């Protein structure tokens, strides 16, 4: 009758301790960021180069926006 339960002497070793809610939330957020980064760069051989190119493009767009507001468009007509 008592054959369905193993010896209870080692049962305390099998208990899995769950982390507190803050630690669990942090772990889930880190895992989500990792998954997002992996899916973003899927199939890309050099993700650092892609990131640099993206930043450079954003900087150029930002300069164009600030230049068009203060500089009057940024186009120069040359007669030659």
């Amino acid at each position: 009758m008592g054959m369905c339960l193993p010896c209870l002497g080692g049962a305390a070793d099998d208990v899995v301790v769950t982390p507190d809610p803050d630690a669990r939330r942090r772990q889930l957020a880190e895992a989500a960021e990792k998954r997002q980064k992996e899916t973003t760069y899927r199939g890309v051989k050099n993700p650092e180069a892609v990131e640099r190119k993206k930043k450079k493009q954003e900087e150029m767009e930002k300069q164009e926006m600030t230049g068009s507001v203060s500089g009057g468009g940024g186009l120069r007509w040359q007669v030659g």
Side-chain angles (χ1 to χ4, degrees), residues 18-54:
T18 58
D20 61 288
D22 291 332
R24 178 82 174 140
R25 194 174 300 119
R26 187 178 65 248
Q27 288 174 344
L28 289 172
E30 289 172 358
E33 287 178 14
K34 183 179 177 184
R35 280 193 308 272
Q36 186 177 17
K37 190 178 274 190
E38 287 175 354
T39 57
T40 301
Y41 295 119
R42 178 182 289 164
V44 177
K45 289 184 179 181
N46 191 352
E48 292 87 17
V50 172
E51 195 66 33
R52 284 192 306 267
K53 188 174 183 180
K54 190 176 184 181

Side-chain angles (χ1 to χ4, degrees), residues 67-68 70-80:
S68 64
S70 63
L75 295 176
R76 297 181 189 166
W77 292 92
Q78 294 182 351
V79 179

Side-chain angles (χ1 to χ4, degrees), residues 58-74:
E58 289 174 357
E59 288 177 9
M60 290 180 69
E61 289 176 2
K62 188 176 179 182
Q63 287 177 354
E64 288 176 4
M65 294 297 282
T66 58
S68 64
V69 172
S70 63

